Amino acid sequence: MNDEQLEHWLDRLAAGDQEAMEEIYRMTRRKVYGTVAVLVSNKEDVNDIVSEIYCQLWRALPGYDRSRPFHFWLNGIVIRQVSSWRRQLWRRFRLTDKTSRLSEEPHVETPDEALAGNELRQDVRDAINKLPYKLRVAVIYRYFYEYTYDEIAELLAIPPGTVKSRVHLALKRLRAKFDTQLDGEAYPNVYSRKH
């Protein structure tokens, strides 16, 4: 998708064209679904959250500053909707039995082909999904979207140093998992200190 195409569809959407919303959805859905699927632990909620993201996109479009990148703005909506979902989940969690909440979690296939594929990619994806939410968000936006630390800081409304710390800690945890064994062969962990 090029920016000229996107601008055309955004103009049509601002004018109330339903076809434009469908086209913008088609152009952006893979990244949005992929991001949400990685950020939320209950895969049954992915479709609901994505629907809310596109409803919010529709409502917030008049306030969109066209001098800024559209995908960055859209990711701001993604973060706000996932955060809202997490708050709602916490409220539900407090009201229900913990064991029923933490039991079986069905697997939902995502349309994001970039994260699917060979076994190693699946292992990496699983390891990222097991990271705490704050670390997972930082890693996804740093390496999946290739945002700068400053851009991530703006999206998350935190200092850039905090973003760097979270990315560093996430990478440290991922390295600890994958440095010890890769493709069945043991490798020494170069990050551990020798005493």
Side-chain angles (χ1 to χ4, degrees):
M1 150 183 56
N2 66 39
D3 292 338
E4 288 178 19
Q5 275 183 317
L6 187 56
E7 288 295 321
H8 167 74
W9 289 111
L10 288 172
D11 289 338
R12 287 181 59 179
L13 180 59
D17 184 352
Q18 180 64 30
E19 183 184 347
M21 185 64 178
E22 292 169 10
E23 188 62 25
I24 290 170
Y25 172 78
R26 187 191 63 75
M27 297 166 109
T28 58
R29 71 176 179 234
R30 278 199 165 136
K31 284 240 177 176
V32 170
Y33 266 98
T35 302
V36 172
V38 170
L39 295 179
V40 300
S41 56
N42 187 355
K43 302 309 178 202
E44 294 173 345
D45 292 333
V46 171
N47 287 330
D48 293 337
I49 295 167
V50 170
S51 294
E52 273 303 311
I53 288 167
Y54 284 100
C55 287
Q56 184 61 32
L57 181 149
W58 177 272
R59 288 190 296 267
L61 187 61
Y64 166 54
D65 178 5
R66 296 283 183 100
S67 67
R68 305 205 48 176
F70 175 76
H71 287 287
F72 186 76
W73 177 74
L74 180 57
N75 275 308
I77 294 173
V78 169
I79 284 294
R80 286 189 296 279
Q81 292 303 317
V82 169
S83 295
S84 174
W85 171 84
R86 287 175 50 80
R87 282 190 302 277
Q88 291 172 7
L89 179 64
W90 178 245
R91 288 182 197 122
R92 283 184 284 167
F93 181 75
R94 289 184 353 214
L95 297 174
T96 60
D97 182 27
K98 281 186 178 184
T99 55
S100 67
R101 267 285 175 218
L102 297 175
S103 63
E104 293 181 50
E105 191 174 282
H107 177 71
V108 174
E109 289 296 322
T110 64
D112 189 12
E113 295 169 359
L115 291 177
N118 65 32
E119 195 174 302
L120 181 59
R121 279 189 178 167
Q122 188 62 42
D123 289 346
V124 171
R125 183 176 176 188
D126 291 343
I128 289 171
N129 284 338
K130 290 178 184 174
L131 288 172
Y133 175 76
K134 290 179 179 183
L135 302 182
R136 193 169 54 224
V137 169
V139 165
I140 293 303
Y141 282 121
R142 179 71 178 130
Y143 296 104
F144 183 64
Y145 285 96
E146 298 179 354
Y147 285 158
T148 66
Y149 292 118
D150 290 334
E151 289 171 328
I152 299 168
E154 183 180 341
L155 269 177
L156 302 178
I158 58 176
T162 303
V163 173
K164 289 178 186 177
S165 295
R166 289 179 183 177
V167 169
H168 175 75
L169 183 56
L171 292 178
K172 183 177 177 181
R173 288 185 181 185
L174 292 171
R175 283 183 189 123
K177 178 172 178 54
F178 290 105
D179 277 353
T180 56
Q181 190 172 13
L182 186 61
D183 292 336
E185 296 180 36
Y187 288 87
N189 186 345
V190 295
Y191 301 101
S192 63
R193 293 183 180 189
K194 296 180 181 178
H195 295 288

